[in-house]
Amino acid sequence: MKANAQKIGDGIYWIGVLDWDLRSYHGYTLDGTTYNAYIVFGEDHVAVIDNAYPGKTQEMMARIEDAFAQEGRDEVVVDYIIQNHVEKDHSGVLVDLHKRFPEAPIYCSEIAVKGLLKHYPALEGAEFVTVGTGDTLEMDGRTFAFLDAFLLHWPDSMFTLLVEDGILFPNDAFGQHLCFTKRFDHEVPEYVLMDAAQKFYANLITPLSKLVLKKLNEVVELGLLEQIKMIAPSHGQIWTDPMKIIGAYTDWAQGVCEDKITIVYDTMHYSTQKMAHELAEGAISEGYDVEIFYLHEDERSEIVKSILTSKGIAIGDPTINDEPYPSIGDIMYYLKGLRFDKTNINRKAVTFGSMGGKGGTAKKLAEKLENYGFDVVDSQEIYYIPTEEENIDSYELGKTLAKACKEL
């Protein structure tokens, strides 16, 4: 295979993989992604940072060979392998790298060694060098400084800072699932970039928000923030404006939200749908923006992206067999794990729905949302088809939610 490396700095190249065809990953939708990996040349030595998904060896090795050609080096030899994270989309080529460059030690966190050997028994006998915050690798006047990133987003995660160049390689942190031929942030529309970054955070980082703030504070205290001139994550675009994404992460982790309400519902015979639309009008009347998601068509990863920047949510569902309509179970279970209250606020919530028997769905959903860290302020449940008076009640429910959100 023939593939080109892309230069991102003096003696520094992107050697990653373009996955044009991926449509679902980590339980959410996307339109392709990249598995970013990098190679750094010193005067006499070479280091590779991270790699790609299993089966992607040919593309990555082709880029490595092209990077050597661009540097005018005939012999392809890698002296160090830095593995920031165990997960397969960043370690799946590691066994092949080790076979090609068996003398290159693998630098990783202490926790990562066990995980890598579990994933790849063929690495048994490889030389591992365990590193953490305060440790460095000196290579021909270039310094790789390592920083523990426990649970950002796996226990083994770590960051690597190429000190003299000010490039942070944070693996999954600050990433986006985007697949473009251009490598830098300013080469794609900003709304596309930030939307993808928000979706990435909402689906992967939300429950770790307190750790995000802790790590950002640590970076400041260590005097590293002013050293970071570029952030090269393991997915998506490279940030040439680091404070744009650092600022966004700070806002998301602290629960900085818009005057917006996310409405999620399903319906059997359109009664709950009618309630959702009336509720939206009530919220709009209070000056709030609204995003509505219909579970017949919409899916969880877009829903939680919206919730991340919303002050309130409304969950609507009809009753079937004395229980909530099953489609709501997926998003409710997802919300349980994401724990949006970790973002420093308890978003306001209401529940609603229709029923033809004893009902109870609105109450059951309210109880679950309270357990998941939302502050439920009211509920509405109607019998079969809403009357005009009940439509007005739904409208007022939207106003009630928006007013409660204004207290945040």
Side-chain angles (χ1 to χ4, degrees):
M1 180 176 183
K2 179 67 176 178
N4 297 328
Q6 295 190 38
K7 191 171 186 177
I8 66 168
D10 185 18
I12 308 164
Y13 296 80
W14 175 85
I15 52 168
V17 169
L18 300 167
D19 193 338
W20 301 101
D21 307 315
L22 195 66
R23 293 296 178 267
S24 178
Y25 189 71
H26 270 305
Y28 65 101
T29 57
L30 64 165
D31 190 19
T33 192
T34 59
Y35 311 117
N36 295 338
Y38 305 90
I39 193 166
V40 180
F41 290 88
E43 186 174 344
D44 300 308
H45 299 84
V46 177
V48 166
I49 302 173
D50 294 323
N51 48 91
Y53 207 80
K56 303 296 185 181
T57 297
Q58 281 191 329
E59 185 173 337
M60 184 172 168
M61 289 305 305
R63 295 193 199 282
I64 288 175
E65 291 170 0
D66 183 69
F68 274 86
Q70 290 189 49
E71 286 291 304
R73 303 195 186 193
D74 297 325
E75 188 178 9
V76 179
V77 177
V78 171
D79 301 284
Y80 306 100
I81 298 170
I82 297 172
Q83 190 69 51
N84 282 318
H85 182 27
V86 166
E87 198 169 3
K88 291 173 71 174
D89 53 334
H90 311 298
S91 65
V93 179
L94 181 59
V95 170
D96 291 333
L97 282 174
H98 174 62
K99 288 179 180 178
R100 178 78 182 268
F101 311 110
E103 302 302 317
I106 301 168
Y107 283 69
C108 61
S109 68
E110 184 175 353
I111 300 175
V113 176
K114 182 178 179 180
L116 289 169
L117 291 173
K118 184 69 173 179
H119 278 79
Y120 313 109
L123 291 174
E124 190 68 47
E127 181 185 356
F128 289 96
V129 179
T130 59
V131 292
T133 300
D135 293 324
T136 59
L137 165 63
E138 302 292 336
M139 188 185 82
D140 307 334
R142 295 190 120 149
T143 306
F144 299 91
F146 304 106
L147 184 66
D148 290 316
F150 179 73
L151 285 177
L152 293 176
H153 68 127
W154 279 20
D156 58 89
S157 297
M158 71 178 193
F159 297 169
T160 299
L161 176 66
L162 186 56
V163 177
E164 290 78 11
D165 298 87
I167 303 177
L168 180 68
F169 301 94
N171 201 264
D172 273 321
F174 309 119
Q176 333 93 49
H177 283 304
L178 292 172
C179 190
F180 291 113
T181 56
K182 303 295 186 181
R183 296 273 53 84
F184 294 107
D185 50 359
H186 56 78
E187 295 177 311
V188 302
E190 182 170 346
Y191 76 91
V192 173
L193 176 73
M194 296 310 297
D195 186 75
Q198 181 178 326
K199 187 171 182 177
F200 193 94
Y201 189 102
N203 284 274
L204 290 178
I205 312 297
T206 295
L208 311 172
S209 291
K210 293 185 184 300
L211 293 175
V212 169
L213 294 176
K214 182 179 180 181
K215 184 55 59 179
L216 291 175
N217 287 335
E218 181 183 344
V219 167
V220 171
E221 291 169 0
L222 291 172
L224 299 176
L225 184 61
E226 56 268 25
Q227 296 184 43
I228 299 172
K229 301 173 184 176
M230 182 185 294
I231 297 177
S234 60
H235 294 291
Q237 305 306 110
I238 296 169
W239 300 93
T240 59
D241 181 2
M243 290 311 301
K244 180 184 293 292
I245 188 60
I246 290 174
Y249 264 52
T250 301
D251 285 347
W252 295 330
Q254 290 179 332
V256 176
C257 294
E258 304 166 16
D259 290 339
K260 183 178 73 174
I261 288 169
T262 299
I263 300 175
V264 184
Y265 79 95
D266 209 340
T267 193
M268 284 190 287
H269 298 295
Y270 307 107
S271 293
T272 307
Q273 182 184 68
K274 178 64 174 174
M275 298 172 74
H277 293 174
E278 292 285 358
L279 193 153
E281 291 297 329
I284 293 168
S285 75
E286 291 291 330
Y288 265 64
D289 192 13
V290 169
E291 283 193 81
I292 297 185
F293 295 89
Y294 177 29
L295 291 176
H296 266 47
E297 305 293 339
D298 300 321
E299 50 81 35
R300 72 175 87 95
S301 61
E302 285 292 323
I303 293 170
V304 298
K305 181 187 74 178
S306 177
I307 291 174
L308 181 64
T309 53
S310 294
K311 291 182 178 179
I313 68 169
I315 304 290
D317 204 42
T319 298
I320 184 171
N321 299 325
D322 297 331
E323 295 293 337
Y325 199 53
S327 59
I328 204 71
D330 178 78
I331 185 62
M332 294 297 290
Y333 191 76
Y334 204 47
L335 290 177
K336 180 180 181 180
L338 288 178
R339 292 303 310 212
F340 273 91
D341 56 325
K342 298 289 186 181
T343 62
N344 204 43
I345 65 168
N346 294 86
R347 289 164 177 80
K348 303 298 182 179
V350 297
T351 60
F352 61 97
S354 63
M355 52 86 177
K358 69 178 183 180
T361 284
K363 181 179 179 181
K364 289 177 180 179
L365 294 178
E367 290 173 352
K368 289 186 179 296
L369 287 176
E370 286 281 355
N371 290 335
Y372 302 166
F374 293 90
D375 180 12
V376 179
V377 297
D378 206 351
S379 293
Q380 181 193 14
E381 192 165 43
I382 62 116
Y383 183 63
Y384 282 136
I385 299 170
T387 64
E388 189 55 39
E389 183 178 343
E390 287 167 334
N391 285 336
I392 294 172
D393 289 341
S394 296
Y395 178 90
E396 291 298 328
L397 186 64
K399 291 177 68 71
T400 296
L401 178 57
K403 289 176 180 177
C405 290
K406 293 177 180 179
E407 299 172 2
L408 290 175

